[in-house]
């Protein structure tokens, strides 16, 4: 089906977008009556950036005009008569508009056809779930590109009109000079004899009448023609819309390019206005043109100001958790600096830290001169122009917050809930000091800490602000409570970003978190969808029976996973978000030796191993055992994979995967043989009640079984520590590995010393 037939079936916003493609630069009637011909031409083979392609474009323009004329000639009847006149008018209009710039016609038609195809494709896909969820950022860029194409065409139309106006005015001045010459000749006739005067006067009077009639007619034409600049108002209405899209920091190079294109177009419009003012001064014909140009000049200045101030942005934000006496960096950029030649006189940017209240006052345009809430070292930087990229930016590379001045806090608010912001400000000129701008921009909220122990709570404040702040808010207001699904989305995004993993939080994980957050036992996700969580529940109030908050527990899980467990999380080897009772229910139906990894409920940043095995005190009875949680400190000594390898009673990762299949690729390689009479030490983990003295390699072929050190396999033979007969289980069936690790460290220390002579003899 032809694209035009499908385009006519568009509805709603899509139909409006399609209609906005057309105007005086290309009438929609031409698209309708020449739809088949237009869609059959090879527009894409013409390179718009190659001036040598202009002859191809001219050929297409001539063909288009011929097609229109042919269409007009074949119209009959009363309605056909009107259409014949209209199509003929469009043929003349297109020839007049694009005869000098046929490549612009090709650009225009390519844009129209591309946009129609996209709108039709989106409409046909919208019935499917995938099509209906089209990326919003992609839509934004497409809308902006469409707006820019319209702007470009309008600006080109105005440029063509301005050239014609200049040409006509120059010819008008020539004719005006001719009328003055004729008038001077008529005046000089008074000095001639009557016979000569009668002979020459009629001719001169006739010429004067002809020239004056032409001048009168042309003066009216020029007066009307100057009103073409009303088109600029329409253009400016289009311009003002995309300006607002860049008030926040850009997310990619497309935003920067769009700002530069916008600046280039607006500056071209301003030059057009200045040329129109020059033409008015050359030929001051009475009329409203002076007021019109003044209005246009004021409008374009306001638009340039809006564009410049909204594109002075922070390209690299300062850290949102900012520690005093610590170096930090930031980058500020003027997106339109290259196009407006601001770099010809490089401006300086100053950074100041201000409080939430000072930020509010600043946005209300209240006087905040010299107000600050602290002292930043190295807070001045000159903007640098990068020729290769055409960017103008200031790179603060060595800033440091020397001191901070805090406000009085209220109620339960802590220092880690107080928000500041970095204010960047500058002054620069545009157009050879013609326009001077004062620009300011605020960073994202910053929480200032003085010790690393405050980092956890400060991060909670930043997360809540980033996730739930409304656009255009008063700094730095956030809701006191949010729906649980909103918080789940924020936690999932934070988890994936921190761990740098594509594996996020599953629905089962989120149910576990909801149970923890609301002290609930429900496993139905729908039960939590309408529930809300307050900031106090999130990071002020401790969880029931614990001395830490919900966020502190979750943040501990993230940190542990990020630093020590990432590959295992990505492999799906860590269930993680499972409580002790759930682990028991899952494992009791599995063979002995089946184990799983879950995050500790009782300790921040801990993970434990739960497994099913026989009860050594009650033969024939099975039960689930839990090791005391490992923390980051434990994994800095020995990795999770090696610890699992050490424990021979762990056979299958839940539900039924042999542990070597999952973990062997992460085992530490075997130690090299002893040289120079020294043996390299190795720490191994032992759970006494489950230690296999002489494991059968065939029965449990783990790497550590093959490379077991004498220290673990036969500890009594070396007399390095006494046999351990006391149970190391706590009342809940949990093992405390602290004692065993202390022994292992002692062994390691002994092995660092020179060996006894009989040991050396054995080595030799």
């Amino acid at each position: 089906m032809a694209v035009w037939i499908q385009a006519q079936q568009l509805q709603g916003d899509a139909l409006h977008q399609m209609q906005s493609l057309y105007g005086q630069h290309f009438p929609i009637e031409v698209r309708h009556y020449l739809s088949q011909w237009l869609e059959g031409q090879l527009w894409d083979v013409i390179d718009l950036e190659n001036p040598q392609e202009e002859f191809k474009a001219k050929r297409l323009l001539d063909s288009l005009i011929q097609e229109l004329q042919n269409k007009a000639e074949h119209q009959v009847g009363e309605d056909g008569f009107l259409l014949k006149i209209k199509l003929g008018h469009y043929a003349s209009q297109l020839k007049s508009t694009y005869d000098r710039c046929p490549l612009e016609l090709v650009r225009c038609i390519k844009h129209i056809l591309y946009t129609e195809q996209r709108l039709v494709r989106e409409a046909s896909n919208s019935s499917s779930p995938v099509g209906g969820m089209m990326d919003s950022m992609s839509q934004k860029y497409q809308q902006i590109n469409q707006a820019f194409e319209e702007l470009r065409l309008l600006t080109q139309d105005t440029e063509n009109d301005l050239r014609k106006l200049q040409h006509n005015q120059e010819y008008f001045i020539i004719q005006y000079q001719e009328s003055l010459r004729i008038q001077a000749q008529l005046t000089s006739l008074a000095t001639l004899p009557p016979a000569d005067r009668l002979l020459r006067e009629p001719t001169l009077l006739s010429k004067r009448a002809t020239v004056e009639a032409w001048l009168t007619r042309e003066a009216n034409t020029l007066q009307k023609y100057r009103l073409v600049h009303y088109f600029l108002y329409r253009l400016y209405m289009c311009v003002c819309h995309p300006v607002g899209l860049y008030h926040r920091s850009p997310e990619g190079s497309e935003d920067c390019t769009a700002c530069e294109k916008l600046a280039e177009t607006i500056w071209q419009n301003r030059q057009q206005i200045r040329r129109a003012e020059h033409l008015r001064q050359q030929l001051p014909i009475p009329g409203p043109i002076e007021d019109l140009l003044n209005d246009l000049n004021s409008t374009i200045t306001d638009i340039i100001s809006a564009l410049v101030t909204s594109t002075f942005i922070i390209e690299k934000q300062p850290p949102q958790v900012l520690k005093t006496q610590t170096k930090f960096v930031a980058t500020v950029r003027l997106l339109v600096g290259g196009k407006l030649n601001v770099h010809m006189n490089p401006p300086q940017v100053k950074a100041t830290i201000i409080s939430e209240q000072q930020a509010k006052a600043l946005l209300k345009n209240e006087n905040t001169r010299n107000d600050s809430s602290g002292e930043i070292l190295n807070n001045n930087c000159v903007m640098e122009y990068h020729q290769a990229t055409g960017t103008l930016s200031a790179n603060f590379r060595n800033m440091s917050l020397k001191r901070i001045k805090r406000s009085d806090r209220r109620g339960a608010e802590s220092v880690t809930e107080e928000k500041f912001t970095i204010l960047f400000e500058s002054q620069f000129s545009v157009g050879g000091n013609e326009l001077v701008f004062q620009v300011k921009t605020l960073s994202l909220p910053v929480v200032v800490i003085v010790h690393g122990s405050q980092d956890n709570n400060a991060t909670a404040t930043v997360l809540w602000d980033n996730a739930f702040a409304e656009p255009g808010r008063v700094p730095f207001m956030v809701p006191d409570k949010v729906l649980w699904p909103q918080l789940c989305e924020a936690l999932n995004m934070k988890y994936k970003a921190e761990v740098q993993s594509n594996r996020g939080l599953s629905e089962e994980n989120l149910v576990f978190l909801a149970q923890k957050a609301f002290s609930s036992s429900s496993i139905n996700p729908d039960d939590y969808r309408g529930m809300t969580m307050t900031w106090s529940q999130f990071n002020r109030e401790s969880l029931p029976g614990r001395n830490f908050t919900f966020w502190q527990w979750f943040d501990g899980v993230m940190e542990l996973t990020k630093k020590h467990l990432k590959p295992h999380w990505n492999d799906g080897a860590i269930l993680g978000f499972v409580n002790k009772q759930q682990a028991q229910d899952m494992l009791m139906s599995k063979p002995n030796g089946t184990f799983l990894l879950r995050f500790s409920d009782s300790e921040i940043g801990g993970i434990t191993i739960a497994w099913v095995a026989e009860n050594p005190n009650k033969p024939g009875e099975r039960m689930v055992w839990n090791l005391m949680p490992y923390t980051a400190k434990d994994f800095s000594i020995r990795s999770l994979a090696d610890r699992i390898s050490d424990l021979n009673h762990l056979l299958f990762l839940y539900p039924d995967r042999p542990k070597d299949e999952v973990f062997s690729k992460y085992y530490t390689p075997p130690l090299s043989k002893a040289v120079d009479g020294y043996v390299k030490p190795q720490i191994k983990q032992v759970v006494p009640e489950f230690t296999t003295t002489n494991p059968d390699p065939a029965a449990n072929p783990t790497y550590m079984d093959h490379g077991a050190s004498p220290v673990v396999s036969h500890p009594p033979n070396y007399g390095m520590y006494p046999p351990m007969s006391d149970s190391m289980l706590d009342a809940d069936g949990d093992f405390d590995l602290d004692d065993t690790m202390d022994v292992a460290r002692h062994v390691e220390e002994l092995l660092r010393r020179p060996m006894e002579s009989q040991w050396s003899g054995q080595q030799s």
Side-chain angles (χ1 to χ4, degrees):
M1 186 184 296
V3 175
W4 180 242
I5 296 176
Q6 299 177 74
Q8 294 176 75
Q9 299 171 9
L10 295 172
Q11 297 179 354
D13 184 59
L15 178 61
H16 177 73
Q17 288 186 51
M18 186 271 286
Q19 291 173 336
S20 68
L21 295 171
Y22 299 96
Q24 291 188 355
H25 58 280
F26 197 82
I28 196 170
E29 292 89 343
V30 176
R31 175 70 175 99
H32 180 73
Y33 288 105
L34 297 186
S35 60
Q36 188 172 356
W37 183 87
L38 286 168
E39 293 178 30
Q41 305 308 305
L42 301 176
W43 304 102
D44 287 334
V45 302
I46 298 180
D47 181 4
L48 297 175
E49 306 305 321
N50 185 359
Q52 296 181 356
E53 297 275 74
E54 190 167 308
F55 76 97
K56 295 181 183 178
K58 183 66 166 63
R59 207 159 50 204
L60 280 170
L61 171 62
D62 293 340
S63 298
L64 172 63
I65 293 170
Q66 186 61 51
E67 288 290 327
L68 269 178
Q69 291 172 341
N70 293 342
K71 198 75 169 178
E73 290 174 1
H74 287 84
Q75 302 303 315
V76 295
E78 183 177 347
D79 293 337
F81 173 73
L82 295 176
L83 182 58
K84 180 177 183 177
I85 294 176
K86 182 176 286 189
L87 292 178
H89 169 71
Y90 289 148
S92 300
Q93 178 182 323
L94 290 172
K95 182 173 178 59
S96 174
T97 302
Y98 296 110
D99 199 43
R100 292 194 207 173
C101 50
L103 285 172
E104 291 303 313
L105 172 70
V106 177
R107 188 191 304 273
C108 171
I109 294 176
K110 285 176 70 172
H111 170 69
I112 288 173
L113 294 177
Y114 167 78
T115 306
E116 285 179 351
Q117 290 168 358
R118 175 180 58 79
L119 291 171
V120 168
R121 185 172 59 252
E122 290 172 6
S124 62
N125 291 339
S126 62
S127 58
S128 67
V130 176
M133 297 174 64
M134 182 178 178
D135 182 68
S136 60
M137 291 302 294
S138 177
Q139 284 184 334
K140 185 187 98 167
Y141 286 129
Q142 290 169 353
Q143 291 169 1
I144 291 174
N145 287 334
Q146 178 179 318
F148 276 129
E149 184 61 20
E150 182 72 12
L151 287 177
R152 193 193 59 76
L153 292 172
L154 284 169
T155 302
Q156 185 61 49
D157 289 344
T158 307
E159 181 66 24
N160 294 337
D161 290 334
L162 194 56
R163 288 175 181 172
K164 292 176 184 177
L165 175 61
Q166 181 176 355
H167 174 77
N168 290 350
Q169 182 166 306
E170 289 171 352
Y171 187 68
F172 180 90
I173 292 173
I174 292 172
Q175 292 301 101
Y176 179 73
Q177 294 297 325
E178 176 65 14
S179 72
L180 293 179
R181 189 181 66 81
I182 294 172
Q183 182 59 44
Q185 289 179 336
L186 284 170
T187 301
S188 67
L189 289 179
T191 61
L192 297 178
D196 291 340
R197 187 169 62 247
L198 288 175
L199 180 64
R200 298 179 59 182
E201 190 173 46
T203 302
L204 290 174
L205 289 173
S206 176
K207 283 185 178 181
R208 187 179 70 175
T210 300
V211 171
E212 287 183 348
W214 184 91
L215 288 172
T216 301
R217 184 175 66 253
E218 193 63 17
N220 290 330
T221 301
L222 285 172
Q223 186 68 0
K224 293 177 182 177
Y225 205 32
R226 280 179 169 177
L227 297 183
V228 73
H229 292 287
Y230 274 121
F231 283 122
L232 289 174
Y233 276 130
R234 179 185 173 198
L235 183 146
Y236 297 152
M237 291 301 292
C238 295
V239 166
C240 289
H241 176 66
V243 166
L245 295 175
Y246 303 98
H247 194 66
R248 290 179 177 267
S249 300
E251 300 174 17
S253 59
E254 291 183 70
D255 279 330
C256 304
T257 303
C259 288
E260 291 172 346
K261 288 166 61 179
L262 188 57
E264 194 170 27
T265 300
I266 292 175
W267 196 251
Q268 185 179 354
N269 300 151
R270 189 171 189 276
Q271 299 309 310
Q272 290 174 344
I273 293 172
R274 292 175 66 85
R275 285 161 57 196
E277 289 176 333
H278 179 68
L279 292 176
R280 184 193 63 80
Q281 292 169 358
Q282 282 185 325
L283 187 61
I285 301 176
I289 187 66
E290 184 172 358
D291 292 338
L292 171 61
L293 287 174
N294 288 337
D295 290 343
L296 288 174
N297 200 30
S298 175
T299 301
I300 199 71
T301 301
D302 290 343
I303 292 173
I304 293 173
S305 177
L307 178 64
V308 168
T309 54
S310 64
T311 57
F312 181 66
I313 58 97
I314 302 172
E315 188 172 55
K316 180 179 179 58
Q317 290 280 343
Q320 287 190 263
V321 177
L322 188 58
K323 188 171 180 291
T324 56
Q325 310 296 330
T326 303
K327 173 185 169 182
F328 68 96
V329 300
T331 301
V332 179
R333 180 175 169 188
L334 180 62
L335 296 181
V336 297
K339 294 297 181 182
L340 298 182
N341 290 326
V342 176
H343 59 281
M344 300 301 289
N345 185 17
Q348 187 174 83
V349 183
K350 179 181 179 181
T352 311
I353 189 165
I354 62 176
S355 68
E356 185 172 332
Q357 292 301 322
Q358 290 165 341
K360 290 178 184 177
L362 181 70
L363 295 182
K364 291 179 182 177
N365 292 321
E366 297 177 3
N367 185 16
T368 59
R369 186 179 299 275
N370 298 325
D371 283 353
S372 69
S373 290
E375 181 182 354
I376 299 178
L377 302 179
N378 303 316
N379 66 329
N380 285 283
C381 184
V382 176
M383 300 194 86
E384 301 174 355
Y385 183 67
H386 305 276
Q387 188 73 38
T389 59
T391 59
L392 184 69
S393 59
N395 297 297
F396 294 84
R397 299 180 177 89
N398 294 289
M399 285 193 291
S400 176
L401 182 58
K402 183 177 180 181
R403 61 177 181 85
I404 191 67
K405 181 171 64 178
R406 299 190 183 275
S407 60
D408 294 332
R409 292 180 297 282
R410 302 176 298 277
E413 186 180 33
S414 67
V415 294
T416 56
E417 294 179 35
E418 186 177 6
K419 300 172 190 173
F420 299 87
T421 182
I422 309 295
L423 166 66
F424 295 92
E425 51 190 338
S426 183
Q427 173 180 305
F428 50 81
S429 60
V430 174
N433 295 324
E434 189 178 334
L435 300 174
V436 179
F437 297 100
Q438 300 276 350
V439 293
K440 299 178 180 181
T441 187
L442 296 174
S443 75
L444 295 173
V446 168
V447 178
V448 177
I449 64 174
V450 296
H451 193 275
S453 62
Q454 299 172 313
D455 184 82
N456 179 288
N457 294 324
T459 302
T461 301
V462 168
L463 172 68
W464 193 275
D465 191 282
N466 289 347
F468 308 123
E470 295 290 335
R473 61 166 172 177
V474 175
F476 290 108
M477 290 183 60
V478 289
D480 182 62
K481 61 182 179 181
V482 296
L483 287 170
W484 175 249
Q486 290 178 282
L487 183 59
C488 287
E489 183 179 356
L491 292 176
N492 185 42
M493 291 179 63
K494 179 68 174 175
Y495 191 88
K496 291 200 293 185
E498 284 294 315
V499 179
Q500 295 183 339
S501 171
N502 291 327
R503 183 192 172 201
L505 303 176
S506 67
E507 187 170 88
E508 291 78 10
N509 298 156
L510 296 174
V511 167
F512 170 87
L513 292 175
Q515 292 173 330
K516 181 176 288 291
F518 301 114
S519 300
S520 170
S521 60
S522 173
I523 60 172
N524 185 357
D526 293 334
D527 290 345
Y528 303 105
R529 298 197 191 283
M531 298 182 71
T532 59
M533 191 168 192
T534 66
W535 166 252
S536 292
Q537 289 173 300
F538 184 68
N539 197 45
R540 275 188 186 166
E541 303 167 1
S542 294
L543 292 170
R546 307 297 183 193
N547 62 352
F548 47 79
T549 66
F550 172 84
W551 164 255
Q552 288 168 346
W553 181 88
F554 183 81
D555 186 58
V557 165
M558 280 196 307
E559 282 295 302
L560 183 70
T561 307
K562 175 174 70 174
K563 293 180 179 178
H564 299 284
L565 308 177
K566 178 180 174 180
H568 308 304
W569 174 262
N570 289 339
D571 290 346
I574 298 176
L575 291 180
F577 300 95
V578 178
N579 62 39
K580 185 178 288 188
Q581 184 59 51
Q582 289 172 327
Q584 179 167 322
D585 295 341
M586 295 165 68
L587 290 170
M588 285 301 291
S589 63
K590 298 298 178 181
N592 288 346
T594 303
F595 68 98
L596 60 79
L597 298 158
R598 66 177 186 86
F599 298 123
S600 170
D601 281 315
S602 59
E603 186 167 351
I604 294 178
I607 190 169
T608 186
I609 301 176
W611 75 95
V612 61
E614 296 289 338
N615 185 344
N617 299 321
K618 295 181 180 179
E621 180 181 297
R622 302 168 75 241
M623 65 179 292
V624 172
W625 309 82
N626 293 273
L627 280 178
M628 290 292 285
Y630 300 121
T631 63
K633 179 181 177 182
D634 298 312
F635 293 133
S636 67
I637 299 170
R638 189 155 177 79
S639 71
L640 175 64
D642 286 342
R643 290 175 182 273
I644 290 173
S645 175
D646 291 344
L647 301 178
N648 297 323
H649 60 278
L650 302 182
L651 305 177
F652 305 102
L653 179 67
Y654 182 89
D656 55 8
R657 299 171 66 189
K659 72 173 182 181
D660 284 350
E661 178 185 300
V662 181
F663 296 101
S664 62
K665 58 185 174 182
Y666 303 112
Y667 293 163
T668 300
L671 295 175
S672 60
K673 293 183 179 181
V675 293
D676 299 330
Y678 290 96
V679 176
K680 290 185 178 180
Q682 182 177 16
I683 293 176
K684 278 205 168 188
Q685 169 176 258
V686 176
V687 178
E689 282 77 359
F690 290 87
T691 298
T692 303
T693 305
N694 291 299
D696 180 3
N700 184 22
T702 64
Y703 156 73
M704 286 300 179
D705 289 334
H706 294 288
S709 71
V711 176
V712 174
S713 300
H714 310 285
N717 295 349
Y718 298 94
M720 294 182 179
Y721 57 88
M724 291 179 282
S725 58
D726 295 336
S727 173
M728 301 184 69
L729 296 175
D730 64 15
D732 295 327
D734 292 339
F735 285 96
D736 189 341
L737 292 182
D738 287 345
D739 293 337
T740 59
M741 292 309 296
D742 286 342
V743 171
R745 293 189 191 99
H746 180 60
V747 171
E748 181 181 10
E749 177 61 29
L750 290 174
L751 289 175
R752 287 199 185 101
R753 301 173 184 174
M755 296 295 100
E756 298 293 338
S757 58
Q758 67 269 25
W759 180 261
S760 300
Q762 293 174 9
Q763 290 294 318
S764 61

